[in-house]
Amino acid sequence: MFDLGWTELLLIGIVALIVVGPKDLPGMFRAVGNFVGKAKGMAREFSRAMNDAADQSGVGDIQKTFKSAANPMKTAMDEVRKTTDSVTRDLNDVTKPTLSPEQQASAEKGRAATAEMAEARKAAKAEAEVAPDKVAPKPKAAAKPKAAPKGKTSKPEDEA
């Protein structure tokens, strides 16, 4: 298309100012703008009509066929990816066991406790950010760890 830079546009404007005159220049630019706008609109409508005709005639399918013929590895890999995705999805659906109502209630309790601990941790972190000179205490865990059996002491294996 046309390649007009700022210098060319400035030269056209100066020549138009000299030839047309300052009094009629805004009207001329308005007329030129309307003409360019109508030309762009007609070009856009023509392009849209050609694309619609091409879509109706099946050119898009032919284009896909040519692209797949030009790059068979990509087409093959796309098919492999689709197949593995469907197999993975099917396997995940099959391997998920259904939970009994007691197990479901226990899982919900565990999720709720985890969510509460996460909220407490976020609150403590936000408090520590607000007052960095104060050290916020860590939130206490909901369940206590099990104690080691009596009589047995743990010894480090690698003592030097």
Side-chain angles (χ1 to χ4, degrees):
M1 195 83 189
F2 293 114
D3 188 20
L4 295 176
W6 286 105
T7 56
E8 289 91 0
L9 289 175
L10 182 63
L11 181 64
I12 292 170
I14 291 172
V15 170
L17 180 64
I18 293 170
V19 172
V20 176
K23 194 174 193 180
D24 297 328
L25 194 61
M28 187 198 72
F29 279 151
R30 190 175 304 114
V32 169
N34 287 337
F35 175 74
V36 169
K38 286 180 185 177
K40 282 185 177 181
M42 288 172 54
R44 198 175 314 123
E45 183 62 32
F46 178 75
S47 176
R48 188 177 300 128
M50 286 295 122
N51 286 337
D52 289 344
D55 288 342
Q56 290 175 356
S57 67
V59 172
D61 296 335
I62 295 170
Q63 184 180 14
K64 286 180 185 176
T65 304
F66 281 144
K67 283 186 178 180
S68 66
N71 194 355
M73 277 304 283
K74 183 179 184 306
T75 306
M77 290 307 295
D78 287 344
E79 290 298 321
V80 168
R81 189 174 296 116
K82 286 179 189 176
T83 305
T84 56
D85 287 345
S86 67
V87 168
T88 303
R89 185 178 52 250
D90 293 343
L91 285 176
N92 285 339
D93 291 344
V94 169
T95 58
K96 288 182 182 174
T98 56
L99 298 177
S100 67
E102 296 85 22
Q103 290 174 331
Q104 186 68 29
S106 175
E108 290 298 324
K109 250 191 241 183
R111 287 187 194 108
T114 304
E116 288 174 12
M117 289 174 61
E119 288 297 322
R121 209 171 32 248
K122 285 180 184 177
K125 184 177 179 182
E127 188 177 307
E129 288 177 359
V130 171
D133 55 337
K134 296 180 183 178
V135 177
K138 292 184 179 180
K140 295 183 180 179
K144 294 181 181 177
K146 294 182 180 179
K150 293 182 180 178
K152 292 184 180 179
T153 59
S154 61
K155 293 182 183 179
E157 293 177 4
D158 295 329
E159 279 189 21

